[in-house]
Amino acid sequence: MFTAIELAGWLPLVLLGTGLLLVPGLAVGGLLAAGAGRRDPALGAPDGALGRLLDALGLSLALWPLILLYGTLLQIPFSPWTIGIILSLGAGIALGLWLRGGRGRAGLRLLSHPLTLLTLGTLMIRFLAVHYLAVPQWGDSLHHTLITQLFLEQRGVPHGYRPYAPVDSFSYHFGFHGLAALWAWLSGQTAWSAVISVGQILNALAVPAAYVLTRELFRSRAAGLASAVLVGFFSSMPAAYVDWGRYTQLAGQVLLPFALVWFLRWVEAPAWPRLALAGLGAAGLGLTHDRILIFYALFVLAYLGVRGLHILTRRGSRPGARWSRLAPVLGRAIAVAVVGGVLFAPWLGNLLANYLPGLFHRLDTVTPSYLDEYAGWAFLTQYLGLALPALALLGVLVTGIGGPGRARLLAATLVVWTGLLVVAAKPDAFHLPGGGAIGTFTVGIALYLPLSTLAGPALARPLLAALLAARRRWGARTSGWWRTPAALRRLPGWLALLTAALLAVVRPAGTTDPHFAYVTPDDLAAIIWAGGHTPPGAHFLISAQSTYQGRAITATDAGMWLPLLAGGGRAVSVPPLSTGAEGRQAADLARRTAALYQAGRQPTAPASLAVLRREHIGYVFVGEQAPTISTTLLLRDPGDYCLLYQQGRSYIFGVQAICRR
């Protein structure tokens, strides 16, 4: 347990997170609301001050990647001072607009709101799960941390991967990495600590994101709270993202509900500030994760299809009148694409030059066996269980039978959207192109979002029906605080908190799987030793395997972390996986990496030793988790290898000339 002093030490970080995640959105959202005037002061957000704060949260997530992109294009170097100035300006604008609109007393009520308490509870659970981690888990975390470090070193959106890899382009979606770099700049944490911290913050923010989407679609606070409880305390996703380091996808899926809600508000009640909000959401989403932008586009397609079908099949109207009602809806969707596309255009040029050509080439060479291995049907259901899909199905039935027309239309949209996600995950099964572009794993671990949204009404509508019956019976009576209308209104929130507390005990989600930890304490000790006992710029051979059916060479143990944790320009034989998708990389990088991988499989062979000499490899690092380099072979060849350090099952060997010193 944490002491009071330790908890107080977290207060500056809480304030830091609050500033990063609310101030830009409060400022820009306030300016847009001022432009809308008294007719639309909340830009369609429900729930009063809570709704405006939630919009500010989503808007901040969309704005930061845009700020980083355009700041880098304008050659503005980012630093703690730069971020401080941005936050100060944002806070000044937000405060001025707040004073202009009149002071409110909503602050304390928001702190005790059930959604706030659910979010804070989830945040505590997520951080307890990772308190022992030295670095983020699994292989993806390496390049996420490296990109965050590049942000810090290059003071903005990176222009390449040097000095960590001979790659002179950068086209990876960067919303998460930018946010982690902002956190590192202001908190003083290392890049790897910032990745862990921001990853858990985003995991907790999946709770209010789920509330926002369900609240907007079904116009029910109780349904929104039910979805929030399911995402934060019941579903295994996105809690398990910490095991895979799946933080960039998580960042996109936290922003996605806000972007969808802003799109719907604009389409249903057009006004230029709502269009600006929708465009910012789409552009920010594209910079945060390209596949989640596809999720967004599929939702828009599902909505237009369902609403178009509803309009065109409506009885009692002429065909011409039907098309006249559909045309504005299509036009508004196009308007969002135009605004978002204009904001996204500078990055699109980079993608066209450095990412998309390679992507199309890889998709052209996808084989059926590759799809069977990496895009199998099992991934779509492996992480769902039975309860969440069952609740979602019940939600469809409940909404379809007794829900209002808009709710039925949007429930149908969610069902179609889910179907489109499945098709996009495995288009080859439907004789469509694009197999391997998204993958069933990416979709399978994201299905918690549409399913929890549909499940919200399944849990809320029976409760609301009971409350209505209770109000009819006790509405005029005041004896007994539990029978008052105010108590009945608060009952869904109390039940949500109680359910969350029970689930936290019965289904604790605050654990991580140690099998996904590439760096053990012994590995960390070995890396620290390497940082103090090998020369700067030393080159290490590390364990690796051929993955994606020979398409990539992937590091398999803690050795991959040497360049970041040991520092000093130390290099390893396997570059980060994300570099393989870049357009401007050294022409022989893939060939040299493959040669070093083969040398690691037979390290004592004369040809392998020749490769090590040519690549100036002076050391071999063998980690505890999943090594592919045989320490037995190295120990049997004292003429070419010498053991320099051992801690448990973590080893560092010298190679030839190093051993003769």
Side-chain angles (χ1 to χ4, degrees):
M1 296 297 292
F2 294 108
T3 66
I5 295 177
E6 289 173 327
L7 289 174
W10 282 83
L11 182 60
L13 294 180
V14 172
L15 296 176
L16 167 61
T18 303
L20 281 176
L21 295 170
L22 289 180
V23 167
L26 285 172
V28 174
L31 291 173
L32 291 175
R38 295 183 178 180
R39 292 176 299 177
D40 193 17
L43 300 178
D47 297 335
L50 175 66
R52 289 191 289 273
L53 279 178
L54 290 172
D55 268 5
L57 168 63
L59 190 51
S60 295
L61 293 174
L63 283 170
W64 277 121
L66 289 165
I67 292 171
L68 290 166
L69 173 63
Y70 282 92
T72 301
L73 292 175
L74 295 173
Q75 298 184 341
I76 298 174
F78 286 90
S79 68
W81 285 102
T82 311
I83 308 306
I85 292 171
I86 293 172
L87 290 177
S88 298
L89 289 174
I93 293 171
L95 180 61
L97 292 170
W98 178 64
L99 293 174
R100 177 185 173 188
R103 302 187 180 192
R105 298 182 179 180
L108 292 177
R109 291 198 300 272
L110 291 176
L111 289 176
S112 61
H113 192 281
L115 182 62
T116 304
L117 298 177
L118 290 173
T119 304
L120 291 176
T122 306
L123 183 66
M124 183 176 297
I125 291 172
R126 299 296 187 262
F127 267 102
L128 286 173
V130 300
H131 73 278
Y132 67 93
L133 291 181
V135 297
Q137 298 199 127
W138 206 234
D140 285 2
S141 292
L142 174 69
H143 56 259
H144 296 330
T145 305
L146 177 61
I147 293 171
T148 301
Q149 182 67 29
L150 290 171
F151 264 90
L152 298 175
E153 294 179 3
Q154 300 181 24
R155 304 180 72 180
V157 179
H159 48 74
Y161 282 82
R162 296 182 186 273
Y164 300 99
V167 176
D168 295 309
S169 63
F170 177 80
S171 57
Y172 202 82
H173 40 257
F174 61 85
F176 169 78
H177 315 93
L179 196 60
L182 295 171
W183 180 271
W185 267 315
L186 295 183
S187 69
Q189 290 185 353
T190 60
W192 46 93
S193 294
V195 165
I196 295 174
S197 296
V198 174
Q200 308 326 301
I201 292 170
L202 288 171
N203 212 308
L205 292 181
V207 169
Y211 172 87
V212 165
L213 185 59
T214 306
R215 173 74 174 91
E216 179 71 26
L217 266 58
F218 299 109
R219 302 281 170 86
S220 168
R221 287 188 292 272
L225 289 173
S227 294
V229 171
L230 290 172
V231 168
F233 297 88
F234 182 77
S235 173
S236 61
M237 301 294 137
Y241 280 30
V242 64
D243 287 331
W244 305 307
R246 203 77 177 186
Y247 295 130
T248 56
Q249 181 175 349
L250 177 61
Q253 287 167 192
V254 172
L255 177 55
L256 177 62
F258 295 97
L260 296 178
V261 163
W262 296 334
F263 169 81
L264 290 174
R265 289 180 192 165
W266 152 249
V267 171
E268 293 178 347
W272 74 262
R274 295 190 180 199
L275 172 60
L277 198 58
L280 286 168
L285 192 61
L287 295 174
T288 300
H289 203 291
D290 46 17
R291 292 179 183 175
I292 308 305
L293 182 63
I294 296 175
F295 288 11
Y296 174 91
L298 292 175
F299 179 92
V300 172
L301 180 62
Y303 174 79
L304 294 177
V306 171
R307 186 166 179 185
L309 184 63
H310 174 72
I311 291 173
L312 295 177
T313 58
R314 189 173 182 179
R315 297 179 180 178
S317 59
R318 300 186 307 275
R322 296 171 189 170
W323 283 106
S324 66
R325 283 194 296 269
L326 179 60
V329 176
L330 298 175
R332 292 164 198 162
I334 294 172
V336 174
V338 170
V339 173
V342 169
L343 293 171
F344 187 74
W347 191 249
L348 178 60
N350 181 38
L351 294 179
L352 291 172
N354 297 308
Y355 176 71
L356 292 178
L359 173 64
F360 294 145
H361 173 71
R362 291 191 296 275
L363 293 178
D364 284 340
T365 58
V366 165
T367 62
S369 60
Y370 174 89
L371 293 175
D372 290 339
E373 183 175 354
Y374 294 101
W377 285 111
F379 287 131
L380 288 173
T381 57
Q382 184 173 347
Y383 306 103
L384 287 178
L386 296 176
L388 190 60
L391 286 171
L393 179 59
L394 181 60
V396 172
L397 296 175
V398 167
T399 305
I401 294 172
R406 180 181 181 273
R408 292 198 302 270
L409 185 145
L410 292 173
T413 298
L414 285 172
V415 172
V416 175
W417 182 38
T418 305
L420 290 177
L421 289 174
V422 171
V423 172
K426 199 166 177 60
D428 52 292
F430 303 92
H431 307 289
L432 296 172
I438 296 179
T440 51
F441 179 77
T442 299
V443 171
I445 64 173
L447 288 179
Y448 75 88
L449 183 57
L451 294 181
S452 65
T453 304
L454 286 168
L459 297 172
R461 285 185 66 83
L463 173 63
L464 293 176
L467 287 178
L468 287 174
R471 284 188 182 182
R472 293 191 190 100
R473 181 177 179 183
W474 294 326
R477 298 170 59 180
T478 58
S479 59
W481 63 269
W482 64 90
R483 294 180 175 179
T484 63
L488 293 175
R489 284 196 300 271
R490 296 190 183 103
L491 186 58
W494 296 339
L495 288 177
L497 292 173
L498 177 61
T499 303
L502 291 174
L503 288 172
V505 175
V506 176
R507 295 169 56 92
T511 57
T512 58
D513 189 339
H515 293 95
F516 292 99
Y518 275 7
V519 180
T520 67
D522 287 345
D523 290 329
L524 188 59
I527 292 173
I528 293 173
W529 185 91
H533 295 83
T534 62
H539 288 214
F540 289 76
L541 179 71
I542 65 172
S543 295
Q545 63 182 351
S546 177
T547 55
Y548 300 102
Q549 292 198 336
R551 293 163 174 263
I553 304 296
T554 308
T556 61
D557 68 13
M560 68 177 81
W561 286 93
L562 271 162
L564 285 171
L565 299 183
R570 292 171 179 83
V572 294
S573 55
V574 182
L577 185 61
S578 60
T579 60
E582 294 294 339
R584 286 188 289 165
Q585 56 180 275
D588 60 348
L589 177 60
R591 179 185 59 78
R592 292 168 56 198
T593 302
L596 286 168
Y597 161 65
Q598 293 295 338
R601 297 183 65 185
Q602 296 179 319
T604 58
S608 299
L609 291 166
V611 170
L612 299 186
R613 286 193 296 270
R614 185 182 70 226
E615 297 295 338
H616 308 291
I617 298 293
Y619 301 88
V620 180
F621 183 99
V622 181
E624 184 175 355
Q625 297 279 66
T628 59
I629 299 174
S630 171
T631 56
T632 302
L633 291 176
L634 299 181
L635 291 170
R636 289 177 179 174
D637 187 4
D640 295 311
Y641 297 96
C642 55
L643 179 62
L644 301 177
Y645 178 88
Q646 178 183 358
Q647 180 72 30
R649 290 183 294 165
S650 301
Y651 301 81
I652 296 178
F653 291 86
V655 181
Q656 290 187 331
I658 298 295
C659 299
R660 303 188 191 105
R661 291 180 181 176

